[in-house]
Amino acid sequence: MTRRGSRSLNLICAYLAFVAVAVAVDQEKCDKTKCPGPLAYYKGLGCSPVYEKEGDCCATKYNCDHLKEKDPNKCYVNGKQYKIGEELRDEDKNPCDIGCTCIIGPGGIATFSCAIVDCFHGEPKPGCYITNYPLKCCPGDEVCPENPEARATCKVNEKEYKEGEFFSIESDPDLICTCQPGYKGENVEPFCVKPKRPYCHPEFSHSYDIINKCAPVYYSNQSPLTSCNAFSRCQNDNDTVIHTEENPKTHSSPNDEDVCHFGNMVMRLGDELNQDSDYNSICVRCVCEVPPVPTCQRLPFDVCDH
């Protein structure tokens, strides 16, 4: 290799290194809490983020094409198929997944149905607390220590938690952890456990909503970034799209890009759905922010109280 060729190669390597560092710096500055869209829903569905350019913090849309290949006669969890009548296996089961079976659900679409678990325990008496364990479905016993100062504590992320309290790990937010005696900063069982399936897993029991392109709805105090949706809004005959552009398209097409789909309706970026068309749309604002699923959130009661 000539000296000139070697110099050119060095310049190219230096440039690529600079680009890599610049992208890494941008990602370090990224604050995902400011990203719009129903991101927890996308994560639960296993959709892939699509960015306008490399190094961007927030995705402009998500690719959920893999959902088109799902068989409506099968249940799905953790990428596995279950036949009608099959019980949820232990390797896919969370503590409260009791009596879960793949059944034929609404619209003839397969879904998991589980036993209803009632964990009501009421408020603890003054000076007492309720124990919690990540490997158990319901809270444990009420503890009333003679010496409250003897209650175990756990220090996590420079914050102190008391025995029985839940805490989260910044570097691994999927972990479910509780403060227990003997915790020494190691986020392992029995102190912490990773769910065997995501709790925000729309396919588990809401396959009908996915196939019919219903929109997840969040309460006003929930974050679509981290919360499981409270319920779904599905298309009805009274629904209309409030377009922000002239000459709107009202029916989906294979060539549509960067649009949200609601039932058989198409929403362009910024478009909204009308409100109060049925019970699940009362005081619910739905806007196309990050396709292909609209972002729907109930308005605060001081804004809309009917």
Side-chain angles (χ1 to χ4, degrees):
M1 181 181 292
T2 64
R3 182 176 298 177
R4 178 177 296 177
S6 177
R7 183 170 180 271
S8 298
L9 179 60
N10 289 336
L11 287 174
I12 291 173
C13 292
Y15 172 74
L16 292 175
F18 171 78
V19 170
V21 171
V23 169
V25 170
D26 285 343
Q27 290 175 340
E28 286 180 2
K29 294 179 181 178
C30 171
D31 185 359
K32 291 287 187 182
T33 62
K34 296 180 181 178
C35 294
L39 305 193
Y41 188 76
Y42 284 137
K43 181 179 179 181
L45 288 176
C47 300
S48 304
V50 178
Y51 299 93
E52 186 174 353
K53 60 181 184 294
E54 186 179 4
D56 280 356
C57 179
C58 302
T60 55
K61 61 182 178 181
Y62 279 74
N63 185 333
C64 303
D65 287 347
H66 66 288
L67 297 176
K68 299 175 183 177
E69 302 173 1
K70 298 297 176 72
D71 185 346
N73 298 310
K74 300 284 179 61
C75 293
Y76 291 89
V77 61
N78 293 336
K80 305 171 187 174
Q81 284 187 353
Y82 281 77
K83 297 178 182 179
I84 301 295
E86 268 194 280
E87 294 184 358
L88 186 66
R89 295 186 284 273
D90 288 342
E91 64 261 29
D92 298 321
K93 189 183 298 184
N94 285 333
C96 284
D97 290 336
I98 299 173
C100 299
T101 305
C102 180
I103 65 167
I104 299 175
I109 298 170
T111 186
F112 278 106
S113 176
C114 304
I116 297 175
V117 180
D118 185 359
C119 289
F120 179 77
H121 55 77
E123 291 293 324
K125 296 190 290 288
C128 303
Y129 63 92
I130 302 293
T131 55
N132 290 288
Y133 303 98
L135 292 170
K136 294 185 178 181
C137 175
C138 294
D141 298 328
E142 181 181 71
V143 178
C144 301
E146 293 183 5
N147 179 14
E149 299 297 325
R151 184 177 176 182
T153 60
C154 306
K155 192 170 184 179
V156 183
N157 300 328
E158 303 302 319
K159 184 177 179 180
E160 187 175 87
Y161 296 85
K162 295 182 178 180
E163 181 180 352
E165 294 179 339
F166 287 97
F167 63 85
S168 58
I169 306 299
E170 292 179 357
S171 59
D172 196 348
D174 290 335
L175 282 177
I176 297 175
C177 304
T178 60
C179 181
Q180 303 173 49
Y183 177 76
K184 297 179 180 179
E186 296 183 1
N187 304 314
V188 297
E189 294 183 11
F191 311 103
C192 298
V193 64
K194 183 165 289 189
K196 293 184 179 180
R197 68 170 182 87
Y199 279 101
C200 288
H201 195 296
E203 283 186 292
F204 187 77
S205 56
H206 297 92
S207 298
Y208 174 90
D209 297 344
I210 299 168
I211 290 176
N212 287 279
K213 298 178 182 176
C214 302
V217 181
Y218 301 84
Y219 290 127
S220 59
N221 62 347
Q222 287 186 295
S223 167
L225 174 67
T226 57
S227 301
C228 303
N229 61 299
F231 55 96
S232 296
R233 174 180 176 176
C234 298
Q235 183 184 359
N236 67 70
D237 293 339
N238 298 318
D239 283 322
T240 59
V241 175
I242 304 171
H243 296 283
T244 57
E245 298 178 3
E246 296 180 356
N247 303 317
K249 294 180 181 178
T250 56
H251 297 285
S252 60
S253 162
N255 297 322
D256 286 333
E257 294 184 1
D258 300 333
V259 295
C260 293
H261 296 274
F262 178 69
N264 63 6
M265 307 169 78
V266 171
M267 303 169 65
R268 295 185 180 183
L269 289 174
D271 285 354
E272 296 190 24
L273 294 175
N274 61 324
Q275 298 180 26
D276 302 349
S277 65
D278 68 356
Y279 180 79
N280 284 339
S281 65
I282 296 175
C283 295
V284 172
R285 180 176 182 262
C286 293
V287 59
C288 181
E289 291 183 317
V290 182
V293 178
T295 304
C296 297
Q297 195 152 22
R298 200 199 187 280
L299 298 172
F301 286 104
D302 59 350
V303 175
C304 186
D305 61 358
H306 64 278

